[in-house]
Structures are given as C-alpha cells and as structure tokens.
Amino acid sequence: MQKIVIRGGCKLDGEVEVSGAKNAALPLLIASILARGEHEIGNVPDLVDVATTCKLLEGLGAEVERSRSRVRISTRALSRHEAPYDLVKTMRASVLCLGPLVARYGRARVSLPGGCAIGARPVDQHLMGLEKLGARVSLAHGYVEARARQLRGATIVFDLPTVTGTENLLMASVLAKGETVLENAAREPEVLQLAEALCAMGARIEGAGTKTLRIQGVDELGPLDCSVIPDRIEAGTLMIAAAIGKGRVCIRGAVLGHLTALVGKLREAGVEIAERDGGVWVRSPQRLRAVDVATQPHPGFPTDMQAQFMALMCLADGTSVIAERIFENRFMHALGLRRMGAQIKQDGGRAIVRGVDKLSGAPVMATDLRASASLVLAGLVAEGTTEVHRVYHLDRGYQRLDAKLRSLGADIHRSRARPPVTVR
Ligand code: EPZ
C-alpha cells in the first residue's frame, strides 16, 4: 500500500495541464461495444478505472491497445456478454455495458454493482429504462441479466437525473427500433460528449445537453473516433489547490463553461479566477470568506467537488453550510479534516464548517476518490506533515495528482506505507 506524504506551507506557483475526463472516458470506451470495427479514442487519462474498463472490454472479446493517451479498440471479435463480479466490484461504472450489450447482441449479464463509501448507488433507473425498451430483466446470484431480440423505442422518465443511467439508456436506445424519449435526463458535459460521439458514429440524437433527449433508432453504427474532453473535476480540484496554496497558478485545458457553479462560489469566497492566454489563472488573497453550497445535478454545484470545497472552507473566515443533496454518505472526508483540526459539525445531509486559523498535519485515511483529494488539499496548507493513507482511491480518478502538485512547488511525494500492525 502506498501513502502520500505532504509537508504543508509551500506556496503553489506555475502552470499545470488538465488530463482527459475520467467520467467521459469510461462511457466512450464502453460505447465501442455498439459497433463492429476499429475504434480510436484520444486524450484518455492514465487511471486505474480506465485500465479496469479496458480489461472489461477485453473480457468481452475486444482487442484493446493503449499507447500514451490514445486507446485503440477492435470489436470485430467481441463475442462474450458478461461483466464479471471481480471487475464490477472495483468499478461501479461497469454497469454501463448493460445497455450497449443488449442493444447490439440482445443479451447481457452484469454483476450488480454494490454500494460504495458514498452511498448505496442503486441502478433501478437503469433497469426500469431497459424494461421500458422491451428487455426482459432478471436478477439472480448478484447478477442482472437482460435479454431482448430487438429493443423498441419508448418514453422513459427518470425519477431523478442519473448520469450513468442516462448514458446507459442513451446507448441502448440508439439501436432500438423507433423513437425513444429520455425525460429528466442528466445534462453533465460528459453526457453531452457521449451523445456527440454517438452521433458521429451515425446515431440520431436531438436535445443533447438538455434534460430531454429524443433518439431515432438506426440499424447499425460506425466506429468511434473522438478525443476525451478535459476533466472538469480535476480542473476544479487544481483551482482549489491554487486557492489553498495562496500562489498564482495557470491551469491549462480547464473549460470554465463546465464549472460555472463552482467558479461562482470560488469567486464569492474571494478567489480570483480569470481566463487569459488559453489558460485559467487562479490566485487568492490571504483569507477567504466562508460561503454556503448545496450540491445539485449539472449545471448546479457538482457533488464531485464537495469534498475539495470543504477543505477550502475549513480555513475561511466565518461559517460555511455545505449541503450534500446527491449522495447519502459523502462526508467521510470530514473525519480526516477534523483530525487535522477542522471544526466541522454534521447535521444529516449538511456539514457546518467553522473556519479556523490553521490546520495541523496528521496521518489520515482516504475513504473514497474525492475524499482523498480533499485530504491532500488540506495537507498542502496544514502545519507540519500530513500522511494520506490508501491512496489507491486517489489513483482511480486522478492522473498523478501528487506529481502535478509537486510541479507547482508543493512538498509532496509517495512512499510505501508500513502494513497495519495487527494487535493479537
Ligand atoms: C456519476 O455516478 C459519476 N460517475 C459520479 O462520479 C458522480 O458523483 C455522479 O454521477 C453524480 O454526478 C461516473 O460518471 C462514472 P448518478 P452515477 O446515477 O451515475 C441515485 C466520481 O467521483 N440513483 O447520477 O452512479 C443515486 O443514488 C464519481 O468521479 C438512483 O437512485 O451517479 C444518487 O443519489 C463518484 N437510482 C443520484 O441518483 C439509479 O438507478 C445520482 O446518481 C441511479 C442513481
């Protein structure tokens, strides 16, 4: 097991490049199932979840070749239809292969993704939509099986905007007979990119990026050829690193239009953010103001930025109320932040953060992807040394975040964590 060791107090200065978006790359890779041929995807980030998705595709019989940030997939020999438990348990997004497999091959057997640290993560909306499209869905032995000779268009109204639910059913419907309407669909930029990529493959989709998608099914699609959009959550994480680090940082590749809610809240807190010479410049004055946030589906404040924003508010002037309205258990990072001296009280789905003058470095445990980023950010500014354990969480969704922060002047490195002492 590895840990990340940070000595706090270094100012961050310089330029850093955003990698491709994890949450765009995963559905794009899986969309290759929809068409027989040679697919090419560029700007794919080097992440554990990407490696898992490539393994999943190979398990289905595809041939996958990765060279730097380019991934080539041949689906000519794709012949299996099962996503096994040992892969799905490490990456819930594997459920995304349900829709494409049923649409293209008439059958799929996918291990039910369990919950995770941040919540139960049900997939009822995915299954409801597949049944509406005419698939016979059954659950047995921890697997969901879906079969359909031919999917038929239908109107599907989501109970709530689900990102991978929208993506799964978008991919299922592009090969269904007739028209499908997805109401109350998710509008994240990653969903928009998937719709655009599917259209480039020959799909007929209207309303991409809005909450109503109208799809006319087609008989077959051509291969994928696209480049993954920049990771807005990594960009937002780097913006907060710059704000916490009190330096002056240029983030190359960040798209402010993908982060309007976060940028609005950072500016309200006093962070200076400006687009100039093809980059986003971020700097912040000595002390920031406390501001309230509530996470919402896009274009609201992203739940994937909640943990990082909380780290920033720990040192703000005043009290910030942070409401987590998407997931039922996404305050695990507060445990580590409190160990570092943060004043955080939890009240159901809200965390009340009273700003303090300083944080002190401590050994802390990462519990999930964005919680680990939050603890790293706090370590940048804490007095003394912070050790973030279980950094495999971080590597699922960030491409060498520690190296990027080091390039900006942070005193941060990885080292092997001693195995936990077992008391007999
Ligand atoms: C996607 O997860 C992202 N993952 C998550 O990013 C992100 O936090 C989340 O969307 C919300 O933006 C990927 O894109 C791979 P949802 P997803 O379905 O699709 C409930 C990260 O850190 N729901 O939009 O699984 C669900 O419980 C990860 O990069 C149902 O009730 O999230 C939640 O409360 C974490 N039934 C809400 O909807 C369903 O069938 C939104 O979840 C599906 C979802």
Side-chain angles (χ1 to χ4, degrees):
M1 284 242 227
Q2 285 195 320
K3 64 184 177 182
I4 283 185
V5 182
I6 312 158
R7 280 194 57 72
C10 301
K11 263 178 66 165
L12 299 192
D13 275 304
E15 296 200 9
V16 68
E17 181 88 28
V18 177
S19 303
K22 165 179 90 80
N23 291 347
L26 303 185
L28 289 172
L29 288 163
I30 289 176
S32 64
I33 294 171
L34 287 166
R36 191 177 294 279
E38 314 299 324
H39 310 266
E40 291 238 355
I41 307 174
N43 197 34
V44 178
D46 180 13
L47 304 171
V48 168
D49 276 8
V50 166
T52 304
T53 305
C54 292
K55 253 192 243 140
L56 176 70
L57 291 170
E58 287 169 337
L60 298 174
E63 285 156 39
V64 181
E65 183 205 321
R66 289 176 67 184
S67 58
R68 299 172 63 82
S69 66
R70 180 159 284 283
V71 177
R72 290 184 182 79
I73 304 163
S74 169
T75 50
R76 292 191 189 289
L78 202 153
S79 57
R80 291 184 289 277
H81 317 102
E82 179 168 325
Y85 173 68
D86 62 328
L87 275 182
V88 177
K89 73 174 190 285
T90 65
M91 187 187 71
R92 305 186 59 268
S94 312
V95 71
L96 278 170
C97 66
L98 253 183
L101 282 173
V102 178
R104 180 86 181 68
Y105 299 97
R107 51 192 288 218
R109 185 168 188 270
V110 177
S111 168
L112 269 173
C116 69
I118 65 176
R121 312 294 295 274
V123 291
D124 58 292
Q125 302 291 299
H126 300 236
L127 306 184
M128 171 275 290
L130 278 176
E131 287 182 322
K132 284 251 185 338
L133 293 173
R136 291 182 309 288
V137 176
S138 59
L139 303 180
H141 312 297
Y143 277 76
V144 54
E145 302 217 6
R147 287 175 180 271
R149 199 184 312 285
Q150 168 66 60
L151 292 176
R152 300 206 163 285
T155 294
I156 297 163
V157 184
F158 291 110
D159 295 349
L160 72 186
T162 154
V163 172
T164 49
T166 302
E167 292 166 344
N168 221 336
L169 293 159
L170 184 55
M171 291 192 280
S173 63
V174 293
L175 292 177
K177 272 264 171 292
E179 178 179 75
T180 296
V181 180
L182 301 181
E183 294 279 8
N184 200 19
R187 297 186 268 165
E188 275 68 3
E190 296 77 25
V191 178
L192 174 56
Q193 174 164 40
L194 176 64
E196 289 169 344
L198 291 169
C199 287
M201 293 167 78
R204 293 172 55 201
I205 303 168
E206 287 167 19
T210 73
K211 59 185 176 184
T212 302
L213 294 167
R214 199 173 288 276
I215 303 106
Q216 306 302 330
V218 295
D219 293 336
E220 68 174 336
L221 295 174
L224 199 57
D225 184 359
C226 63
S227 182
V228 179
I229 56 175
D231 193 318
R232 62 193 169 99
I233 304 303
E234 185 193 29
T237 305
L238 291 167
M239 283 181 196
I240 292 183
I244 269 190
K246 296 280 175 273
R248 189 167 172 277
V249 172
C250 175
I251 302 167
R252 297 248 170 251
V255 177
L256 284 192
H258 289 169
L259 283 167
T260 42
L262 172 72
V263 170
K265 287 294 177 183
L266 288 173
R267 283 174 170 154
E268 198 184 321
V271 181
E272 294 165 20
I273 300 172
E275 267 187 308
R276 215 176 26 253
D277 345 316
V280 173
W281 289 86
V282 182
R283 61 190 294 276
S284 81
Q286 283 322 305
R287 193 133 163 100
L288 294 173
R289 292 182 291 274
V291 294
D292 297 345
V293 296
T295 63
Q296 305 281 350
H298 192 78
F301 189 95
T303 176
D304 293 349
M305 284 303 308
Q306 181 260 106
Q308 302 90 311
F309 196 81
M310 186 184 287
L312 187 66
M313 290 294 104
C314 290
L315 291 162
D317 190 9
T319 297
S320 157
V321 177
I322 297 178
E324 173 53 59
R325 295 198 177 139
I326 305 292
F327 291 111
E328 62 268 33
N329 187 39
R330 202 169 198 177
F331 287 141
M332 303 280 275
H333 42 285
L335 302 172
L337 294 171
R338 281 195 203 100
R339 278 180 54 76
M340 298 170 76
Q343 294 294 316
I344 304 168
K345 279 201 174 51
Q346 270 170 252
D347 162 26
R350 298 187 323 156
I352 293 94
V353 184
R354 189 163 53 79
V356 294
D357 294 337
K358 64 179 176 51
L359 294 175
S360 60
V364 289
M365 191 80 76
T367 52
D368 58 87
L369 169 54
R370 306 304 172 182
S372 45
S374 171
L375 297 173
V376 168
L377 292 173
L380 292 176
V381 72
E383 285 185 351
T385 300
T386 297
E387 292 188 351
V388 181
H389 292 257
R390 296 190 181 172
V391 283
Y392 57 84
H393 289 292
L394 194 75
D395 295 336
R396 288 194 49 195
Y398 287 97
Q399 182 171 316
R400 291 186 288 285
L401 180 65
D402 46 322
K404 291 186 177 181
L405 294 172
R406 191 165 49 247
S407 73
L408 293 171
D411 180 346
I412 179 171
H413 64 277
R414 277 173 194 251
S415 75
R416 294 200 65 68
R418 273 196 306 279
V421 176
T422 43
V423 179
R424 298 223 177 282

PDB file of all heavy atoms in Angstrom, residues 121-146:
ATOM      1  N   ARG A 121     -25.884   3.537  -4.073  1.00  0.00           N
ATOM      2  CA  ARG A 121     -25.662   3.582  -5.530  1.00  0.00           C
ATOM      3  C   ARG A 121     -26.574   2.605  -6.281  1.00  0.00           C
ATOM      4  O   ARG A 121     -26.127   1.716  -7.003  1.00  0.00           O
ATOM      5  CB  ARG A 121     -24.205   3.320  -5.862  1.00  0.00           C
ATOM      6  CG  ARG A 121     -23.183   4.092  -5.072  1.00  0.00           C
ATOM      7  CD  ARG A 121     -23.188   5.586  -5.309  1.00  0.00           C
ATOM      8  NE  ARG A 121     -22.815   5.962  -6.638  1.00  0.00           N
ATOM      9  CZ  ARG A 121     -21.574   6.151  -7.073  1.00  0.00           C
ATOM     10  NH1 ARG A 121     -20.574   5.915  -6.251  1.00  0.00           N
ATOM     11  NH2 ARG A 121     -21.337   6.547  -8.306  1.00  0.00           N
ATOM     12  N   PRO A 122     -27.885   2.677  -6.102  1.00  0.00           N
ATOM     13  CA  PRO A 122     -28.778   1.734  -6.799  1.00  0.00           C
ATOM     14  C   PRO A 122     -28.748   1.930  -8.311  1.00  0.00           C
ATOM     15  O   PRO A 122     -28.273   2.962  -8.793  1.00  0.00           O
ATOM     16  CB  PRO A 122     -30.159   2.099  -6.238  1.00  0.00           C
ATOM     17  CG  PRO A 122     -30.039   3.518  -5.798  1.00  0.00           C
ATOM     18  CD  PRO A 122     -28.623   3.693  -5.335  1.00  0.00           C
ATOM     19  N   VAL A 123     -29.216   0.953  -9.059  1.00  0.00           N
ATOM     20  CA  VAL A 123     -29.292   1.046 -10.528  1.00  0.00           C
ATOM     21  C   VAL A 123     -30.717   0.800 -11.016  1.00  0.00           C
ATOM     22  O   VAL A 123     -30.933   0.435 -12.180  1.00  0.00           O
ATOM     23  CB  VAL A 123     -28.299   0.069 -11.214  1.00  0.00           C
ATOM     24  CG1 VAL A 123     -26.876   0.507 -10.982  1.00  0.00           C
ATOM     25  CG2 VAL A 123     -28.535  -1.372 -10.743  1.00  0.00           C
ATOM     26  N   ASP A 124     -31.697   1.046 -10.142  1.00  0.00           N
ATOM     27  CA  ASP A 124     -33.095   0.799 -10.520  1.00  0.00           C
ATOM     28  C   ASP A 124     -33.527   1.582 -11.753  1.00  0.00           C
ATOM     29  O   ASP A 124     -34.303   1.091 -12.583  1.00  0.00           O
ATOM     30  CB  ASP A 124     -34.024   1.117  -9.334  1.00  0.00           C
ATOM     31  CG  ASP A 124     -33.856   2.561  -8.876  1.00  0.00           C
ATOM     32  OD1 ASP A 124     -32.779   2.877  -8.342  1.00  0.00           O
ATOM     33  OD2 ASP A 124     -34.762   3.383  -9.105  1.00  0.00           O
ATOM     34  N   GLN A 125     -33.003   2.791 -11.920  1.00  0.00           N
ATOM     35  CA  GLN A 125     -33.396   3.593 -13.094  1.00  0.00           C
ATOM     36  C   GLN A 125     -32.846   2.985 -14.392  1.00  0.00           C
ATOM     37  O   GLN A 125     -33.493   3.028 -15.432  1.00  0.00           O
ATOM     38  CB  GLN A 125     -32.888   5.037 -12.934  1.00  0.00           C
ATOM     39  CG  GLN A 125     -33.415   5.723 -11.674  1.00  0.00           C
ATOM     40  CD  GLN A 125     -34.921   6.006 -11.763  1.00  0.00           C
ATOM     41  OE1 GLN A 125     -35.382   6.730 -12.639  1.00  0.00           O
ATOM     42  NE2 GLN A 125     -35.682   5.397 -10.863  1.00  0.00           N
ATOM     43  N   HIS A 126     -31.653   2.421 -14.311  1.00  0.00           N
ATOM     44  CA  HIS A 126     -31.068   1.757 -15.486  1.00  0.00           C
ATOM     45  C   HIS A 126     -31.981   0.598 -15.904  1.00  0.00           C
ATOM     46  O   HIS A 126     -32.304   0.431 -17.070  1.00  0.00           O
ATOM     47  CB  HIS A 126     -29.685   1.165 -15.146  1.00  0.00           C
ATOM     48  CG  HIS A 126     -28.654   2.140 -14.679  1.00  0.00           C
ATOM     49  ND1 HIS A 126     -27.436   2.290 -15.278  1.00  0.00           N
ATOM     50  CD2 HIS A 126     -28.646   3.011 -13.632  1.00  0.00           C
ATOM     51  CE1 HIS A 126     -26.722   3.217 -14.643  1.00  0.00           C
ATOM     52  NE2 HIS A 126     -27.439   3.653 -13.635  1.00  0.00           N
ATOM     53  N   LEU A 127     -32.392  -0.199 -14.909  1.00  0.00           N
ATOM     54  CA  LEU A 127     -33.171  -1.421 -15.197  1.00  0.00           C
ATOM     55  C   LEU A 127     -34.581  -1.059 -15.647  1.00  0.00           C
ATOM     56  O   LEU A 127     -35.117  -1.655 -16.586  1.00  0.00           O
ATOM     57  CB  LEU A 127     -33.198  -2.342 -13.971  1.00  0.00           C
ATOM     58  CG  LEU A 127     -31.816  -2.719 -13.396  1.00  0.00           C
ATOM     59  CD1 LEU A 127     -31.958  -3.722 -12.243  1.00  0.00           C
ATOM     60  CD2 LEU A 127     -30.907  -3.263 -14.484  1.00  0.00           C
ATOM     61  N   MET A 128     -35.159  -0.021 -15.005  1.00  0.00           N
ATOM     62  CA  MET A 128     -36.514   0.427 -15.405  1.00  0.00           C
ATOM     63  C   MET A 128     -36.502   0.821 -16.875  1.00  0.00           C
ATOM     64  O   MET A 128     -37.374   0.441 -17.658  1.00  0.00           O
ATOM     65  CB  MET A 128     -36.889   1.616 -14.516  1.00  0.00           C
ATOM     66  CG  MET A 128     -38.146   2.369 -14.887  1.00  0.00           C
ATOM     67  SD  MET A 128     -37.877   3.653 -16.152  1.00  0.00           S
ATOM     68  CE  MET A 128     -36.931   4.882 -15.240  1.00  0.00           C
ATOM     69  N   GLY A 129     -35.482   1.552 -17.276  1.00  0.00           N
ATOM     70  CA  GLY A 129     -35.408   2.033 -18.663  1.00  0.00           C
ATOM     71  C   GLY A 129     -35.237   0.892 -19.647  1.00  0.00           C
ATOM     72  O   GLY A 129     -35.874   0.858 -20.699  1.00  0.00           O
ATOM     73  N   LEU A 130     -34.408  -0.099 -19.293  1.00  0.00           N
ATOM     74  CA  LEU A 130     -34.198  -1.240 -20.199  1.00  0.00           C
ATOM     75  C   LEU A 130     -35.503  -2.012 -20.381  1.00  0.00           C
ATOM     76  O   LEU A 130     -35.855  -2.429 -21.489  1.00  0.00           O
ATOM     77  CB  LEU A 130     -33.110  -2.166 -19.646  1.00  0.00           C
ATOM     78  CG  LEU A 130     -31.661  -1.747 -19.923  1.00  0.00           C
ATOM     79  CD1 LEU A 130     -30.692  -2.697 -19.236  1.00  0.00           C
ATOM     80  CD2 LEU A 130     -31.372  -1.693 -21.424  1.00  0.00           C
ATOM     81  N   GLU A 131     -36.257  -2.150 -19.279  1.00  0.00           N
ATOM     82  CA  GLU A 131     -37.547  -2.867 -19.393  1.00  0.00           C
ATOM     83  C   GLU A 131     -38.505  -2.083 -20.276  1.00  0.00           C
ATOM     84  O   GLU A 131     -39.194  -2.641 -21.125  1.00  0.00           O
ATOM     85  CB  GLU A 131     -38.139  -3.096 -17.997  1.00  0.00           C
ATOM     86  CG  GLU A 131     -37.384  -4.187 -17.224  1.00  0.00           C
ATOM     87  CD  GLU A 131     -37.971  -4.473 -15.852  1.00  0.00           C
ATOM     88  OE1 GLU A 131     -38.409  -3.506 -15.195  1.00  0.00           O
ATOM     89  OE2 GLU A 131     -37.974  -5.650 -15.438  1.00  0.00           O
ATOM     90  N   LYS A 132     -38.490  -0.757 -20.149  1.00  0.00           N
ATOM     91  CA  LYS A 132     -39.369   0.073 -20.992  1.00  0.00           C
ATOM     92  C   LYS A 132     -39.023  -0.131 -22.477  1.00  0.00           C
ATOM     93  O   LYS A 132     -39.874  -0.086 -23.353  1.00  0.00           O
ATOM     94  CB  LYS A 132     -39.196   1.559 -20.633  1.00  0.00           C
ATOM     95  CG  LYS A 132     -39.874   1.988 -19.354  1.00  0.00           C
ATOM     96  CD  LYS A 132     -41.057   2.863 -19.712  1.00  0.00           C
ATOM     97  CE  LYS A 132     -41.810   3.509 -18.608  1.00  0.00           C
ATOM     98  NZ  LYS A 132     -41.922   3.220 -17.330  1.00  0.00           N
ATOM     99  N   LEU A 133     -37.735  -0.382 -22.740  1.00  0.00           N
ATOM    100  CA  LEU A 133     -37.293  -0.584 -24.132  1.00  0.00           C
ATOM    101  C   LEU A 133     -37.563  -2.016 -24.600  1.00  0.00           C
ATOM    102  O   LEU A 133     -37.205  -2.381 -25.721  1.00  0.00           O
ATOM    103  CB  LEU A 133     -35.794  -0.260 -24.258  1.00  0.00           C
ATOM    104  CG  LEU A 133     -35.401   1.213 -24.061  1.00  0.00           C
ATOM    105  CD1 LEU A 133     -33.883   1.352 -24.044  1.00  0.00           C
ATOM    106  CD2 LEU A 133     -35.995   2.103 -25.153  1.00  0.00           C
ATOM    107  N   GLY A 134     -38.179  -2.828 -23.706  1.00  0.00           N
ATOM    108  CA  GLY A 134     -38.578  -4.175 -24.123  1.00  0.00           C
ATOM    109  C   GLY A 134     -37.640  -5.283 -23.692  1.00  0.00           C
ATOM    110  O   GLY A 134     -37.830  -6.444 -24.055  1.00  0.00           O
ATOM    111  N   ALA A 135     -36.648  -4.972 -22.888  1.00  0.00           N
ATOM    112  CA  ALA A 135     -35.737  -6.047 -22.430  1.00  0.00           C
ATOM    113  C   ALA A 135     -36.389  -6.801 -21.283  1.00  0.00           C
ATOM    114  O   ALA A 135     -37.151  -6.241 -20.492  1.00  0.00           O
ATOM    115  CB  ALA A 135     -34.421  -5.430 -21.956  1.00  0.00           C
ATOM    116  N   ARG A 136     -36.117  -8.135 -21.233  1.00  0.00           N
ATOM    117  CA  ARG A 136     -36.547  -8.936 -20.081  1.00  0.00           C
ATOM    118  C   ARG A 136     -35.368  -8.908 -19.092  1.00  0.00           C
ATOM    119  O   ARG A 136     -34.268  -9.353 -19.409  1.00  0.00           O
ATOM    120  CB  ARG A 136     -36.849 -10.375 -20.518  1.00  0.00           C
ATOM    121  CG  ARG A 136     -38.099 -10.488 -21.407  1.00  0.00           C
ATOM    122  CD  ARG A 136     -38.415 -11.911 -21.792  1.00  0.00           C
ATOM    123  NE  ARG A 136     -37.248 -12.617 -22.348  1.00  0.00           N
ATOM    124  CZ  ARG A 136     -36.741 -12.361 -23.562  1.00  0.00           C
ATOM    125  NH1 ARG A 136     -37.249 -11.391 -24.294  1.00  0.00           N
ATOM    126  NH2 ARG A 136     -35.713 -13.039 -24.022  1.00  0.00           N
ATOM    127  N   VAL A 137     -35.626  -8.328 -17.922  1.00  0.00           N
ATOM    128  CA  VAL A 137     -34.555  -8.129 -16.936  1.00  0.00           C
ATOM    129  C   VAL A 137     -34.801  -9.040 -15.741  1.00  0.00           C
ATOM    130  O   VAL A 137     -35.916  -9.098 -15.226  1.00  0.00           O
ATOM    131  CB  VAL A 137     -34.518  -6.651 -16.475  1.00  0.00           C
ATOM    132  CG1 VAL A 137     -33.478  -6.456 -15.369  1.00  0.00           C
ATOM    133  CG2 VAL A 137     -34.214  -5.732 -17.670  1.00  0.00           C
ATOM    134  N   SER A 138     -33.767  -9.810 -15.344  1.00  0.00           N
ATOM    135  CA  SER A 138     -33.925 -10.645 -14.135  1.00  0.00           C
ATOM    136  C   SER A 138     -32.667 -10.506 -13.272  1.00  0.00           C
ATOM    137  O   SER A 138     -31.582 -10.210 -13.781  1.00  0.00           O
ATOM    138  CB  SER A 138     -34.108 -12.109 -14.539  1.00  0.00           C
ATOM    139  OG  SER A 138     -32.962 -12.515 -15.286  1.00  0.00           O
ATOM    140  N   LEU A 139     -32.858 -10.683 -11.966  1.00  0.00           N
ATOM    141  CA  LEU A 139     -31.732 -10.587 -11.022  1.00  0.00           C
ATOM    142  C   LEU A 139     -31.557 -11.955 -10.382  1.00  0.00           C
ATOM    143  O   LEU A 139     -32.534 -12.559  -9.920  1.00  0.00           O
ATOM    144  CB  LEU A 139     -32.051  -9.560  -9.922  1.00  0.00           C
ATOM    145  CG  LEU A 139     -32.388  -8.140 -10.402  1.00  0.00           C
ATOM    146  CD1 LEU A 139     -32.684  -7.240  -9.191  1.00  0.00           C
ATOM    147  CD2 LEU A 139     -31.252  -7.552 -11.190  1.00  0.00           C
ATOM    148  N   ALA A 140     -30.326 -12.466 -10.405  1.00  0.00           N
ATOM    149  CA  ALA A 140     -30.077 -13.749  -9.724  1.00  0.00           C
ATOM    150  C   ALA A 140     -28.591 -13.850  -9.395  1.00  0.00           C
ATOM    151  O   ALA A 140     -27.738 -13.436 -10.208  1.00  0.00           O
ATOM    152  CB  ALA A 140     -30.482 -14.903 -10.643  1.00  0.00           C
ATOM    153  N   HIS A 141     -28.325 -14.380  -8.200  1.00  0.00           N
ATOM    154  CA  HIS A 141     -26.939 -14.620  -7.766  1.00  0.00           C
ATOM    155  C   HIS A 141     -26.062 -13.385  -7.874  1.00  0.00           C
ATOM    156  O   HIS A 141     -24.881 -13.464  -8.213  1.00  0.00           O
ATOM    157  CB  HIS A 141     -26.322 -15.751  -8.620  1.00  0.00           C
ATOM    158  CG  HIS A 141     -27.209 -16.950  -8.747  1.00  0.00           C
ATOM    159  ND1 HIS A 141     -27.580 -17.711  -7.663  1.00  0.00           N
ATOM    160  CD2 HIS A 141     -27.855 -17.480  -9.823  1.00  0.00           C
ATOM    161  CE1 HIS A 141     -28.405 -18.676  -8.067  1.00  0.00           C
ATOM    162  NE2 HIS A 141     -28.579 -18.559  -9.368  1.00  0.00           N
ATOM    163  N   GLY A 142     -26.636 -12.219  -7.628  1.00  0.00           N
ATOM    164  CA  GLY A 142     -25.814 -10.988  -7.631  1.00  0.00           C
ATOM    165  C   GLY A 142     -25.550 -10.454  -9.022  1.00  0.00           C
ATOM    166  O   GLY A 142     -24.740  -9.543  -9.193  1.00  0.00           O
ATOM    167  N   TYR A 143     -26.239 -11.045 -10.008  1.00  0.00           N
ATOM    168  CA  TYR A 143     -26.063 -10.569 -11.389  1.00  0.00           C
ATOM    169  C   TYR A 143     -27.404 -10.065 -11.920  1.00  0.00           C
ATOM    170  O   TYR A 143     -28.463 -10.533 -11.527  1.00  0.00           O
ATOM    171  CB  TYR A 143     -25.579 -11.704 -12.302  1.00  0.00           C
ATOM    172  CG  TYR A 143     -24.079 -11.918 -12.234  1.00  0.00           C
ATOM    173  CD1 TYR A 143     -23.499 -12.564 -11.143  1.00  0.00           C
ATOM    174  CD2 TYR A 143     -23.245 -11.439 -13.238  1.00  0.00           C
ATOM    175  CE1 TYR A 143     -22.132 -12.735 -11.082  1.00  0.00           C
ATOM    176  CE2 TYR A 143     -21.870 -11.623 -13.190  1.00  0.00           C
ATOM    177  CZ  TYR A 143     -21.311 -12.264 -12.102  1.00  0.00           C
ATOM    178  OH  TYR A 143     -19.960 -12.437 -12.035  1.00  0.00           O
ATOM    179  N   VAL A 144     -27.333  -9.112 -12.837  1.00  0.00           N
ATOM    180  CA  VAL A 144     -28.528  -8.720 -13.583  1.00  0.00           C
ATOM    181  C   VAL A 144     -28.366  -9.279 -14.996  1.00  0.00           C
ATOM    182  O   VAL A 144     -27.292  -9.172 -15.595  1.00  0.00           O
ATOM    183  CB  VAL A 144     -28.725  -7.184 -13.582  1.00  0.00           C
ATOM    184  CG1 VAL A 144     -27.516  -6.441 -14.058  1.00  0.00           C
ATOM    185  CG2 VAL A 144     -29.912  -6.792 -14.421  1.00  0.00           C
ATOM    186  N   GLU A 145     -29.431  -9.966 -15.453  1.00  0.00           N
ATOM    187  CA  GLU A 145     -29.433 -10.484 -16.825  1.00  0.00           C
ATOM    188  C   GLU A 145     -30.491  -9.717 -17.607  1.00  0.00           C
ATOM    189  O   GLU A 145     -31.573  -9.446 -17.101  1.00  0.00           O
ATOM    190  CB  GLU A 145     -29.798 -11.968 -16.830  1.00  0.00           C
ATOM    191  CG  GLU A 145     -28.855 -12.793 -16.006  1.00  0.00           C
ATOM    192  CD  GLU A 145     -28.593 -14.162 -16.640  1.00  0.00           C
ATOM    193  OE1 GLU A 145     -29.051 -14.418 -17.763  1.00  0.00           O
ATOM    194  OE2 GLU A 145     -27.898 -14.954 -15.991  1.00  0.00           O
ATOM    195  N   ALA A 146     -30.132  -9.304 -18.817  1.00  0.00           N
ATOM    196  CA  ALA A 146     -31.102  -8.587 -19.660  1.00  0.00           C
ATOM    197  C   ALA A 146     -31.048  -9.203 -21.047  1.00  0.00           C
ATOM    198  O   ALA A 146     -29.975  -9.487 -21.566  1.00  0.00           O
ATOM    199  CB  ALA A 146     -30.770  -7.108 -19.707  1.00  0.00           C
TER     200      ALA A 146
END
